[in-house]
Amino acid sequence: MNWISIGSIEDIPQRGARCVNTPQGRIAIFRTIENQVFAIEDRCPHKGGPLSQGIVHGAAVTCPLHNWVISLETGKALGADEGTVRTIPLRVEGAHIFIVQEALASRAA
Amino acid sequence: MIEKLIIIGNGMAPGRMLEHLLERAPGRYSITIFNAEPRVNYDRIMLSPVLSGEKAYEEIIIHGDGWYIKNEIMLYKGHKIVSIDRSAKTVTSNHGVTETYDKLVIATGSSPFILPVPGHGLPGVLTYRDLDDVNAMLLAAQSRSKAVVIGGGLLGLEAAAGLSSQGMDVSVVHLMPTLMERQLDPAAGYLLRRAIEDRGIKVFTKANTKMILGKTKVEAVELADGTIIPATLIVMAAGIKPNSQLAKDIGITVNRGIVVDSGMRTSDPDVFALGECAEVGGHVYGLVAPLYEMARVAAAQLAGDAAASFVHSDTPTKLKVTGIDLFSVGDFAEGDDRQEIVLRDAAAGVYKRVILKDDRVIGTVLYGEVADGAWFSDLKKKRTDISEMRDTLIFGQAYQGGPSLGPTAAVAALPDDSEICGCNGVCKGTITNAIVSKGLKSIDDVRAHTKASASCGSCSGLVEQLMTLTLGEAYNPASVQPMCGCTTLGHDDIRRLIVTKRLKTLAAALQELEWKTSCGCAKCRPALNYYLVCAWPDEYADDYQSRFINERVHANIQKDGTYSVVPRMWGGVTSARELRAIADVVDKFHIPTVKVTGGQRIDMLGVRKEDLPSVWADLGKAGFVSGQAYAKGLRTVKTCVGTDWCRFGTQDSTGLGIRIEKFMWGSWTPAKVKMAVSGCPRNCAEATCKDVGVICVDSGYEIHFAGAAGLDIKGTEVLCLVKTEQEALKYIVALVQMYREQGRYLERIYKWAKRIGFAEIRRQIVADEAKRGAYFDRFVFSQKFAQIDPWSERVSGKDKHEFLPMAAVGFAEAAE
């Protein structure tokens, strides 16, 4: 397994997100108010909205296009909506955030 | 034969007496009231919430004019009784009205005690007794300057907190070493002092007022130790004295107050006295519960029940300052024959002390956590032997026998005869019986039928819990729609509490308003952020992460994640130079679509997020600022060409539109605000379907508001006609500020106006010049912090992280 550093937790505002570009598409990295960090695909399962641009609350994000609420932990749509976005395994070592390179490739396959 | 009853005074005690009397002996008396105050009977206990802005006068009226008419009571408002003739049995008012009586009730209340120090007669020295005092204080508070309250008792502290929430710089001067020393022990007094000081109120204890300084009006207070405290307003709250002069003048026995027997009769058997002017059993009273008891007894006596008799009892004390919880009842002095149990939790700011004598509770002081006040008070009243539960007594009722109880279960465990409403002496059983037998559904019903929680209101929570217990699912306390799932509070309560509790950060708001989630949700956070910006334009630091993406990146997100950019074109007027700059930007950044908007602007659609700062930089060089086409704020002012070109134009509509837009751009509002100015009634700028519109006419400017042309279609209402451009601007700004302060987040002007009432808006903006001026001034103040172009800020590097990816990974491998 190949862990790649994508930056520091301090690069992401609390209750905010930043993007990581990959050949397979954009990943959104979220930081919650409790400093948990999550990575999910930056595409809402509803109409493909950029989840990284949404408002982050608790461990969830509200999509800016049509207000779907997506769990950052499971990638599942919360409430009455149904749909799932892919989550990407991630590890925080000290302040550094790593993601698994293979996890990126698996999507292309 | 119908007897004649005359009552002098129209405060809460005689008001309550009449309610009892009308119930017990309807039709027995023909009733006349002389009231020196020019108004009906209102709840004086609630003057503090009126002062702090939490309630309006209309909300604290007990008996409106209709009540007197319905009960055929003659009420002389503004009539002071100047003489009584006991042999002829007549009274005469200062306006010359003379009436005869069979029975007379004196209920003249009390007057504030004015310290007889030099300078006490200067303008600017007020007292705190009635609505006139409150109105005078509210007026003085508008100057936002310094106030000194003399007296650190219940009344003084409520006055201080009220003036402070009105924005004044307040000091409290108190003669004794600790605050509220008659109700609190020194430890609780200390905690109270800290809480008062945390609100920015300065506290001087052991402070003896020597004189009030000032030439033509109040300038400062000088203390005996030489300290000088500058002030433009001084409130005397150093105690009250019964108004007994009238009785004394006619030879009725008077001591401290008008002396009455336990049946409320004075030394003249046809003359009764009750309320704060009466002295019974050597006591005079100032709290409402014993005064209401006097009212009950006097009514019974007047109805012919000679056995009715007043019995002294201790009354619990509560302070009506939002956010400060304290409770005190009985005797709490130390003594050899007494034991005490104390609980302190410094971190939580909790202090509890129970004083015991012979295994009975004789006094209780609670600070910070007062839910068990009723329970301790009940133990004391019933002289319950507490030896069995002594070890856990201090933890409250929930700890007695079994697992700890929630608040509702704790109320369920109270016996039926325990007192819920201290002011009105209403027991639990009375309330639950009324709920069941009368089919009561709301707290207002309970107030109407039982009086529980109808005075100071601090037991409202208990009454609601009783309703939940009695009615179960059928009781729905949330007649107010909560803002979102994170809270039980509605928008209006939240706005009010942000101001009155002086909440100035998002974290403080979530904490103090007891949010159910750690950091809110996408519904409440933008709303809270707006309410905070609106309430504290200078002090609140905007919470970036609580703004919708459009307001974070100052462009409008599109379905594919690109953005649209709309520069401001003041009043819809542009030039060759501006158009050329737009054309260049479109070419340089390969912007796919350019479109003219409904608000007379040019929209560039399909801009990639990472290009936004460069697009703005180029537009900025041509003089453009953001058009806020994405904002819950002022969007556009659409205009027609007016007298500049049009053969029908009556005024310079283009000029006025530009002027309004330049004055108001950058302001945040509950929902978007779109405006228009038309130069004549042909209305080419379509001003009559806008949030705010102006139709120019020969005689001036007709101001319109509350139109809609979106989900709903609605023509505007006319606010008024004004003569000059300057006036038009002032009225429009005041109207928008009123909406900014009262509108619920995402509620457009037309919905707000419908909710508030068009007449009320006209009353405040058109009829009330002072209100209009104040709204205008607050808007101007708020603009000082709002009119900063967000585009140029970001071109200079603000929020840089927003526009750049954090990293790019995997590209080298992919190329292999």
Side-chain angles (χ1 to χ4, degrees), chain A residues 6 8 11-16 18-23 33-34 50 53-58 62 64-65 97 101 104, chain B residues 506 519-522 525-526 543 545-549 552 558-559 563 609 801 804-811 813-814:
Chain A
I6 54 167
S8 154
D11 296 338
I12 313 171
Q14 268 189 335
R15 298 173 300 155
R18 296 286 301 275
C19 293
V20 171
N21 289 336
T22 78
I33 194 159
E34 275 138 12
Q53 314 294 293
I55 288 180
V56 181
H57 44 95
T62 296
L65 292 195
I97 307 170
Q101 191 171 9
L104 303 178
Chain B
L506 189 73
C519 65
C521 71
R525 285 234 309 273
D543 185 56
Q545 298 298 348
S546 292
R547 288 209 176 259
F548 184 64
I549 184 66
R552 256 183 284 153
Q558 303 299 316
K559 61 181 269 190
Y563 289 82
K609 190 181 184 191
H801 67 84
L804 297 170
M806 184 180 184
V809 296
F811 286 96
E813 287 81 358

Short mmCIF file of all heavy atoms in Angstrom, two decimals, chain A residues 6 8 11-16 18-23 33-34 50 53-58 62 64-65 97 101 104, chain B residues 506 519-522 525-526 543 545-549 552 558-559 563 609 801 804-811 813-814:
data_model
loop_
_atom_site.label_atom_id
_atom_site.label_comp_id
_atom_site.label_asym_id
_atom_site.label_seq_id
_atom_site.Cartn_x
_atom_site.Cartn_y
_atom_site.Cartn_z
N ILE A 6 -0.73 14.58 1.14
CA ILE A 6 -1.42 15.61 0.34
C ILE A 6 -1.37 16.98 1.00
O ILE A 6 -1.94 17.94 0.50
CB ILE A 6 -2.89 15.22 0.07
CG1 ILE A 6 -3.61 14.91 1.39
CG2 ILE A 6 -2.97 14.04 -0.88
CD1 ILE A 6 -5.10 14.83 1.24
N SER A 8 -1.03 19.45 4.91
CA SER A 8 -1.19 19.53 6.35
C SER A 8 -2.65 19.81 6.70
O SER A 8 -3.37 20.44 5.92
CB SER A 8 -0.30 20.64 6.90
OG SER A 8 -0.82 21.15 8.09
N ASP A 11 -3.87 23.30 6.36
CA ASP A 11 -4.23 23.87 5.05
C ASP A 11 -5.74 23.99 4.86
O ASP A 11 -6.21 24.69 3.97
CB ASP A 11 -3.68 23.00 3.91
CG ASP A 11 -2.15 22.97 3.90
OD1 ASP A 11 -1.54 23.89 4.47
OD2 ASP A 11 -1.59 22.01 3.34
N ILE A 12 -6.48 23.24 5.67
CA ILE A 12 -7.95 23.21 5.50
C ILE A 12 -8.59 24.00 6.62
O ILE A 12 -8.27 23.79 7.79
CB ILE A 12 -8.47 21.76 5.56
CG1 ILE A 12 -7.61 20.84 4.68
CG2 ILE A 12 -9.93 21.69 5.15
CD1 ILE A 12 -7.92 19.38 4.86
N PRO A 13 -9.49 24.91 6.31
CA PRO A 13 -10.18 25.64 7.39
C PRO A 13 -11.11 24.69 8.16
O PRO A 13 -11.68 23.77 7.57
CB PRO A 13 -10.98 26.71 6.67
CG PRO A 13 -11.06 26.29 5.24
CD PRO A 13 -9.93 25.35 4.97
N GLN A 14 -11.23 24.92 9.48
CA GLN A 14 -12.21 24.15 10.24
C GLN A 14 -13.60 24.38 9.66
O GLN A 14 -13.91 25.51 9.26
CB GLN A 14 -12.21 24.62 11.70
CG GLN A 14 -11.28 23.84 12.58
CD GLN A 14 -11.46 24.18 14.04
OE1 GLN A 14 -11.92 25.27 14.36
NE2 GLN A 14 -11.10 23.28 14.92
N ARG A 15 -14.42 23.35 9.63
CA ARG A 15 -15.74 23.39 9.01
C ARG A 15 -15.61 23.81 7.54
O ARG A 15 -16.40 24.59 7.03
CB ARG A 15 -16.68 24.38 9.73
CG ARG A 15 -16.97 24.03 11.17
CD ARG A 15 -17.74 25.15 11.84
NE ARG A 15 -16.98 26.38 11.79
CZ ARG A 15 -17.52 27.58 11.85
NH1 ARG A 15 -18.81 27.71 11.95
NH2 ARG A 15 -16.74 28.65 11.81
N GLY A 16 -14.54 23.30 6.87
CA GLY A 16 -14.34 23.66 5.48
C GLY A 16 -13.73 22.49 4.71
O GLY A 16 -13.63 21.38 5.22
N ARG A 18 -10.90 21.43 1.17
CA ARG A 18 -10.01 21.78 0.05
C ARG A 18 -10.08 20.63 -0.96
O ARG A 18 -10.48 19.52 -0.62
CB ARG A 18 -8.57 21.94 0.53
CG ARG A 18 -8.32 23.08 1.51
CD ARG A 18 -8.35 24.45 0.85
NE ARG A 18 -7.37 24.64 -0.21
CZ ARG A 18 -6.11 25.02 -0.01
NH1 ARG A 18 -5.67 25.25 1.22
NH2 ARG A 18 -5.28 25.19 -1.02
N CYS A 19 -9.60 20.91 -2.16
CA CYS A 19 -9.65 19.87 -3.19
C CYS A 19 -8.27 19.32 -3.47
O CYS A 19 -7.26 20.01 -3.33
CB CYS A 19 -10.19 20.45 -4.49
SG CYS A 19 -11.90 20.90 -4.33
N VAL A 20 -8.23 18.06 -3.88
CA VAL A 20 -6.99 17.45 -4.39
C VAL A 20 -7.33 16.95 -5.79
O VAL A 20 -8.29 16.19 -5.98
CB VAL A 20 -6.54 16.29 -3.49
CG1 VAL A 20 -5.39 15.53 -4.14
CG2 VAL A 20 -6.12 16.81 -2.12
N ASN A 21 -6.54 17.42 -6.76
CA ASN A 21 -6.79 16.98 -8.14
C ASN A 21 -6.04 15.68 -8.40
O ASN A 21 -4.88 15.53 -8.01
CB ASN A 21 -6.31 18.05 -9.13
CG ASN A 21 -7.21 19.26 -9.10
OD1 ASN A 21 -8.39 19.15 -8.72
ND2 ASN A 21 -6.68 20.42 -9.48
N THR A 22 -6.70 14.74 -9.03
CA THR A 22 -6.05 13.48 -9.42
C THR A 22 -6.45 13.19 -10.86
O THR A 22 -7.44 13.76 -11.35
CB THR A 22 -6.50 12.31 -8.52
OG1 THR A 22 -7.81 11.88 -8.96
CG2 THR A 22 -6.56 12.70 -7.05
N PRO A 23 -5.70 12.33 -11.52
CA PRO A 23 -6.06 12.00 -12.91
C PRO A 23 -7.46 11.41 -12.99
O PRO A 23 -8.12 11.51 -14.02
CB PRO A 23 -5.01 10.97 -13.32
CG PRO A 23 -3.90 11.10 -12.34
CD PRO A 23 -4.51 11.60 -11.06
N ILE A 33 -15.30 20.57 12.80
CA ILE A 33 -15.01 21.45 13.93
C ILE A 33 -14.21 20.71 14.98
O ILE A 33 -13.47 21.30 15.76
CB ILE A 33 -16.31 22.04 14.51
CG1 ILE A 33 -16.00 23.20 15.43
CG2 ILE A 33 -17.13 20.99 15.24
CD1 ILE A 33 -17.13 24.15 15.66
N GLU A 34 -14.36 19.37 15.01
CA GLU A 34 -13.58 18.58 15.98
C GLU A 34 -12.26 18.09 15.39
O GLU A 34 -11.64 17.17 15.92
CB GLU A 34 -14.43 17.41 16.48
CG GLU A 34 -15.33 17.81 17.62
CD GLU A 34 -16.73 17.24 17.51
OE1 GLU A 34 -16.96 16.35 16.67
OE2 GLU A 34 -17.59 17.70 18.26
N PRO A 50 -20.33 20.02 -6.74
CA PRO A 50 -19.04 19.98 -6.05
C PRO A 50 -19.22 20.06 -4.53
O PRO A 50 -19.42 21.14 -3.99
CB PRO A 50 -18.30 21.21 -6.59
CG PRO A 50 -19.39 22.15 -6.98
CD PRO A 50 -20.59 21.33 -7.37
N GLN A 53 -17.64 22.53 -2.02
CA GLN A 53 -18.09 23.93 -1.92
C GLN A 53 -19.24 24.10 -0.94
O GLN A 53 -19.76 25.19 -0.78
CB GLN A 53 -18.53 24.44 -3.30
CG GLN A 53 -17.59 24.11 -4.44
CD GLN A 53 -16.26 24.81 -4.30
OE1 GLN A 53 -16.18 26.01 -4.39
NE2 GLN A 53 -15.21 24.04 -4.04
N GLY A 54 -19.64 23.00 -0.31
CA GLY A 54 -20.82 23.06 0.56
C GLY A 54 -20.51 23.56 1.95
O GLY A 54 -19.35 23.78 2.31
N ILE A 55 -21.56 23.71 2.77
CA ILE A 55 -21.39 24.09 4.17
C ILE A 55 -21.20 22.82 4.99
O ILE A 55 -21.96 21.86 4.86
CB ILE A 55 -22.61 24.90 4.67
CG1 ILE A 55 -22.58 26.30 4.04
CG2 ILE A 55 -22.61 25.01 6.19
CD1 ILE A 55 -23.72 27.20 4.44
N VAL A 56 -20.13 22.80 5.80
CA VAL A 56 -19.79 21.62 6.60
C VAL A 56 -20.37 21.79 7.99
O VAL A 56 -20.19 22.81 8.64
CB VAL A 56 -18.25 21.48 6.70
CG1 VAL A 56 -17.89 20.23 7.51
CG2 VAL A 56 -17.64 21.43 5.31
N HIS A 57 -21.12 20.77 8.45
CA HIS A 57 -21.72 20.85 9.79
C HIS A 57 -21.65 19.46 10.41
O HIS A 57 -22.02 18.49 9.76
CB HIS A 57 -23.15 21.36 9.72
CG HIS A 57 -23.97 20.76 8.61
ND1 HIS A 57 -24.79 19.68 8.80
CD2 HIS A 57 -24.05 21.07 7.28
CE1 HIS A 57 -25.36 19.36 7.65
NE2 HIS A 57 -24.93 20.17 6.71
N GLY A 58 -21.18 19.37 11.65
CA GLY A 58 -20.95 18.05 12.25
C GLY A 58 -20.04 17.26 11.32
O GLY A 58 -19.06 17.81 10.79
N THR A 62 -23.47 19.84 3.21
CA THR A 62 -24.67 20.09 2.41
C THR A 62 -24.24 20.55 1.03
O THR A 62 -23.49 21.52 0.88
CB THR A 62 -25.55 21.16 3.09
OG1 THR A 62 -26.00 20.64 4.34
CG2 THR A 62 -26.76 21.51 2.23
N PRO A 64 -23.94 22.36 -2.41
CA PRO A 64 -24.35 23.74 -2.74
C PRO A 64 -25.42 23.81 -3.84
O PRO A 64 -26.08 24.83 -3.96
CB PRO A 64 -23.05 24.39 -3.22
CG PRO A 64 -22.18 23.28 -3.66
CD PRO A 64 -22.54 22.10 -2.79
N LEU A 65 -25.60 22.75 -4.61
CA LEU A 65 -26.55 22.87 -5.71
C LEU A 65 -28.00 22.67 -5.26
O LEU A 65 -28.86 23.48 -5.54
CB LEU A 65 -26.21 21.90 -6.85
CG LEU A 65 -24.92 22.18 -7.62
CD1 LEU A 65 -24.89 21.39 -8.92
CD2 LEU A 65 -24.71 23.65 -7.91
N ILE A 97 -1.54 14.77 6.27
CA ILE A 97 -2.64 13.92 5.80
C ILE A 97 -2.12 13.06 4.65
O ILE A 97 -1.47 13.57 3.73
CB ILE A 97 -3.82 14.79 5.29
CG1 ILE A 97 -4.23 15.79 6.37
CG2 ILE A 97 -4.99 13.93 4.88
CD1 ILE A 97 -5.22 16.83 5.86
N GLN A 101 -2.67 5.61 -2.49
CA GLN A 101 -2.62 5.81 -3.94
C GLN A 101 -3.50 4.80 -4.69
O GLN A 101 -4.19 5.16 -5.64
CB GLN A 101 -1.18 5.69 -4.42
CG GLN A 101 -1.02 6.13 -5.84
CD GLN A 101 0.43 6.22 -6.23
OE1 GLN A 101 1.31 5.79 -5.49
NE2 GLN A 101 0.68 6.78 -7.39
N LEU A 104 -7.03 5.62 -5.38
CA LEU A 104 -7.33 6.49 -6.51
C LEU A 104 -7.50 5.66 -7.77
O LEU A 104 -8.46 5.81 -8.51
CB LEU A 104 -6.18 7.49 -6.72
CG LEU A 104 -5.82 8.38 -5.53
CD1 LEU A 104 -4.64 9.26 -5.91
CD2 LEU A 104 -7.01 9.22 -5.15
N LEU B 506 -20.52 33.40 16.90
CA LEU B 506 -21.36 32.25 16.57
C LEU B 506 -21.29 31.24 17.71
O LEU B 506 -22.31 30.67 18.12
CB LEU B 506 -20.87 31.62 15.26
CG LEU B 506 -21.79 30.55 14.71
CD1 LEU B 506 -23.05 31.17 14.12
CD2 LEU B 506 -21.08 29.73 13.67
N CYS B 519 -22.27 22.17 15.76
CA CYS B 519 -22.00 23.40 15.01
C CYS B 519 -23.10 23.71 14.02
O CYS B 519 -22.86 24.21 12.94
CB CYS B 519 -20.62 23.38 14.36
SG CYS B 519 -20.41 22.14 13.11
N GLY B 520 -24.34 23.41 14.41
CA GLY B 520 -25.45 23.85 13.58
C GLY B 520 -25.58 23.05 12.29
O GLY B 520 -25.06 21.94 12.17
N CYS B 521 -26.28 23.60 11.31
CA CYS B 521 -26.45 22.93 10.03
C CYS B 521 -26.47 23.99 8.93
O CYS B 521 -26.32 25.17 9.19
CB CYS B 521 -27.74 22.11 10.01
SG CYS B 521 -29.23 23.11 9.98
N ALA B 522 -26.65 23.54 7.70
CA ALA B 522 -26.60 24.47 6.57
C ALA B 522 -27.78 25.43 6.55
O ALA B 522 -27.79 26.40 5.82
CB ALA B 522 -26.54 23.68 5.26
N ARG B 525 -26.83 28.00 10.25
CA ARG B 525 -25.58 28.77 10.34
C ARG B 525 -25.60 30.05 9.52
O ARG B 525 -25.23 31.12 10.03
CB ARG B 525 -24.39 27.89 9.98
CG ARG B 525 -24.02 26.90 11.10
CD ARG B 525 -22.56 27.00 11.50
NE ARG B 525 -21.67 26.93 10.37
CZ ARG B 525 -21.21 25.81 9.84
NH1 ARG B 525 -21.54 24.64 10.35
NH2 ARG B 525 -20.40 25.84 8.81
N PRO B 526 -26.04 30.00 8.24
CA PRO B 526 -26.08 31.27 7.50
C PRO B 526 -27.04 32.27 8.14
O PRO B 526 -26.78 33.47 8.16
CB PRO B 526 -26.57 30.85 6.11
CG PRO B 526 -26.22 29.41 6.00
CD PRO B 526 -26.37 28.85 7.39
N ASP B 543 -18.51 34.95 10.04
CA ASP B 543 -18.06 33.56 10.02
C ASP B 543 -18.11 33.03 8.60
O ASP B 543 -19.15 32.63 8.09
CB ASP B 543 -18.92 32.70 10.94
CG ASP B 543 -18.37 31.28 11.03
OD1 ASP B 543 -17.18 31.13 11.39
OD2 ASP B 543 -19.10 30.33 10.71
N GLN B 545 -17.13 30.29 7.17
CA GLN B 545 -17.59 28.93 6.88
C GLN B 545 -19.09 28.78 7.06
O GLN B 545 -19.64 27.72 6.81
CB GLN B 545 -16.84 27.91 7.76
CG GLN B 545 -15.34 27.88 7.53
CD GLN B 545 -14.96 27.48 6.10
OE1 GLN B 545 -15.78 27.02 5.32
NE2 GLN B 545 -13.70 27.68 5.75
N SER B 546 -19.76 29.83 7.55
CA SER B 546 -21.21 29.75 7.67
C SER B 546 -21.91 30.43 6.51
O SER B 546 -23.12 30.61 6.53
CB SER B 546 -21.66 30.40 9.00
OG SER B 546 -21.20 29.61 10.07
N ARG B 547 -21.15 30.85 5.52
CA ARG B 547 -21.78 31.47 4.37
C ARG B 547 -21.92 30.46 3.25
O ARG B 547 -21.09 29.59 3.08
CB ARG B 547 -20.94 32.66 3.90
CG ARG B 547 -21.03 33.83 4.87
CD ARG B 547 -20.84 35.13 4.13
NE ARG B 547 -21.02 36.27 5.02
CZ ARG B 547 -22.15 36.97 5.06
NH1 ARG B 547 -23.17 36.66 4.29
NH2 ARG B 547 -22.24 38.00 5.87
N PHE B 548 -23.01 30.59 2.50
CA PHE B 548 -23.22 29.78 1.31
C PHE B 548 -22.08 30.08 0.34
O PHE B 548 -21.53 31.18 0.33
CB PHE B 548 -24.58 30.13 0.71
CG PHE B 548 -24.96 29.29 -0.47
CD1 PHE B 548 -25.17 27.92 -0.32
CD2 PHE B 548 -25.10 29.84 -1.73
CE1 PHE B 548 -25.51 27.14 -1.42
CE2 PHE B 548 -25.44 29.07 -2.82
CZ PHE B 548 -25.65 27.71 -2.68
N ILE B 549 -21.73 29.09 -0.49
CA ILE B 549 -20.55 29.22 -1.36
C ILE B 549 -20.55 30.52 -2.16
O ILE B 549 -19.50 31.16 -2.31
CB ILE B 549 -20.44 27.99 -2.31
CG1 ILE B 549 -19.18 28.05 -3.15
CG2 ILE B 549 -21.67 27.83 -3.19
CD1 ILE B 549 -17.91 27.92 -2.37
N ARG B 552 -19.19 33.16 -0.19
CA ARG B 552 -17.78 32.95 0.17
C ARG B 552 -16.89 33.36 -0.99
O ARG B 552 -15.84 33.95 -0.80
CB ARG B 552 -17.55 31.46 0.48
CG ARG B 552 -17.43 31.18 1.95
CD ARG B 552 -17.13 29.71 2.18
NE ARG B 552 -18.31 28.88 2.01
CZ ARG B 552 -18.27 27.60 1.63
NH1 ARG B 552 -17.13 27.00 1.37
NH2 ARG B 552 -19.39 26.92 1.51
N GLN B 558 -22.86 27.65 -10.68
CA GLN B 558 -23.72 27.13 -11.74
C GLN B 558 -23.78 25.61 -11.66
O GLN B 558 -23.04 24.99 -10.90
CB GLN B 558 -23.20 27.58 -13.11
CG GLN B 558 -23.09 29.10 -13.25
CD GLN B 558 -24.45 29.80 -13.10
OE1 GLN B 558 -25.46 29.37 -13.64
NE2 GLN B 558 -24.45 30.89 -12.33
N LYS B 559 -24.63 25.00 -12.47
CA LYS B 559 -24.90 23.58 -12.31
C LYS B 559 -23.65 22.72 -12.52
O LYS B 559 -23.54 21.63 -11.97
CB LYS B 559 -26.02 23.14 -13.27
CG LYS B 559 -25.69 23.34 -14.75
CD LYS B 559 -26.86 22.90 -15.61
CE LYS B 559 -26.71 21.43 -15.98
NZ LYS B 559 -27.69 21.04 -17.03
N TYR B 563 -18.72 29.31 -12.29
CA TYR B 563 -19.38 30.46 -11.66
C TYR B 563 -19.77 31.51 -12.67
O TYR B 563 -19.18 31.59 -13.76
CB TYR B 563 -18.42 31.07 -10.61
CG TYR B 563 -18.28 30.15 -9.43
CD1 TYR B 563 -17.40 29.07 -9.46
CD2 TYR B 563 -19.09 30.30 -8.31
CE1 TYR B 563 -17.30 28.19 -8.39
CE2 TYR B 563 -19.01 29.42 -7.25
CZ TYR B 563 -18.11 28.38 -7.29
OH TYR B 563 -18.04 27.50 -6.25
N LYS B 609 -13.53 28.37 -11.28
CA LYS B 609 -13.30 28.95 -9.96
C LYS B 609 -11.90 29.51 -9.81
O LYS B 609 -11.70 30.61 -9.27
CB LYS B 609 -13.56 27.88 -8.89
CG LYS B 609 -13.60 28.45 -7.48
CD LYS B 609 -13.82 27.35 -6.47
CE LYS B 609 -13.95 27.94 -5.07
NZ LYS B 609 -13.91 26.89 -4.04
N HIS B 801 -6.73 30.38 -0.16
CA HIS B 801 -6.90 28.92 -0.16
C HIS B 801 -8.15 28.49 -0.90
O HIS B 801 -8.22 27.40 -1.44
CB HIS B 801 -6.95 28.41 1.28
CG HIS B 801 -8.18 28.86 2.01
ND1 HIS B 801 -9.37 28.20 1.91
CD2 HIS B 801 -8.41 29.94 2.80
CE1 HIS B 801 -10.28 28.84 2.63
NE2 HIS B 801 -9.72 29.91 3.17
N LEU B 804 -7.45 27.76 -4.79
CA LEU B 804 -6.38 26.88 -5.24
C LEU B 804 -6.61 25.47 -4.72
O LEU B 804 -7.05 25.30 -3.59
CB LEU B 804 -5.03 27.37 -4.71
CG LEU B 804 -4.57 28.73 -5.20
CD1 LEU B 804 -3.36 29.20 -4.42
CD2 LEU B 804 -4.29 28.69 -6.69
N PRO B 805 -6.30 24.44 -5.54
CA PRO B 805 -6.38 23.08 -5.00
C PRO B 805 -5.30 22.89 -3.93
O PRO B 805 -4.28 23.57 -3.94
CB PRO B 805 -6.14 22.18 -6.20
CG PRO B 805 -5.53 23.04 -7.24
CD PRO B 805 -5.88 24.47 -6.94
N MET B 806 -5.56 21.98 -3.02
CA MET B 806 -4.62 21.71 -1.94
C MET B 806 -3.40 20.97 -2.49
O MET B 806 -2.28 21.20 -2.07
CB MET B 806 -5.35 20.85 -0.91
CG MET B 806 -4.60 20.53 0.34
SD MET B 806 -5.70 19.51 1.34
CE MET B 806 -4.72 19.32 2.80
N ALA B 807 -3.65 20.08 -3.41
CA ALA B 807 -2.55 19.27 -3.97
C ALA B 807 -3.02 18.66 -5.27
O ALA B 807 -4.21 18.64 -5.59
CB ALA B 807 -2.16 18.17 -2.98
N ALA B 808 -2.07 18.15 -6.05
CA ALA B 808 -2.39 17.35 -7.23
C ALA B 808 -1.55 16.10 -7.11
O ALA B 808 -0.33 16.20 -6.92
CB ALA B 808 -2.06 18.12 -8.51
N VAL B 809 -2.16 14.95 -7.13
CA VAL B 809 -1.37 13.71 -6.96
C VAL B 809 -1.70 12.71 -8.05
O VAL B 809 -2.79 12.75 -8.63
CB VAL B 809 -1.63 13.04 -5.58
CG1 VAL B 809 -1.18 13.93 -4.45
CG2 VAL B 809 -3.09 12.65 -5.43
N GLY B 810 -0.71 11.83 -8.31
CA GLY B 810 -0.96 10.69 -9.19
C GLY B 810 -0.79 10.99 -10.66
O GLY B 810 -0.91 10.10 -11.49
N PHE B 811 -0.47 12.23 -11.02
CA PHE B 811 -0.41 12.55 -12.45
C PHE B 811 0.79 11.91 -13.13
O PHE B 811 0.67 11.39 -14.23
CB PHE B 811 -0.41 14.07 -12.66
CG PHE B 811 -1.77 14.65 -12.42
CD1 PHE B 811 -2.11 15.21 -11.19
CD2 PHE B 811 -2.74 14.60 -13.42
CE1 PHE B 811 -3.37 15.72 -10.98
CE2 PHE B 811 -4.01 15.12 -13.21
CZ PHE B 811 -4.32 15.68 -11.98
N GLU B 813 2.35 9.09 -12.38
CA GLU B 813 2.10 7.66 -12.57
C GLU B 813 1.14 7.42 -13.73
O GLU B 813 1.31 6.53 -14.53
CB GLU B 813 1.49 7.06 -11.28
CG GLU B 813 2.45 6.90 -10.14
CD GLU B 813 2.67 8.21 -9.38
OE1 GLU B 813 2.10 9.26 -9.77
OE2 GLU B 813 3.42 8.18 -8.41
N ALA B 814 0.14 8.32 -13.81
CA ALA B 814 -0.85 8.13 -14.85
C ALA B 814 -0.24 8.28 -16.24
O ALA B 814 -0.67 7.64 -17.19
CB ALA B 814 -1.99 9.13 -14.68
#
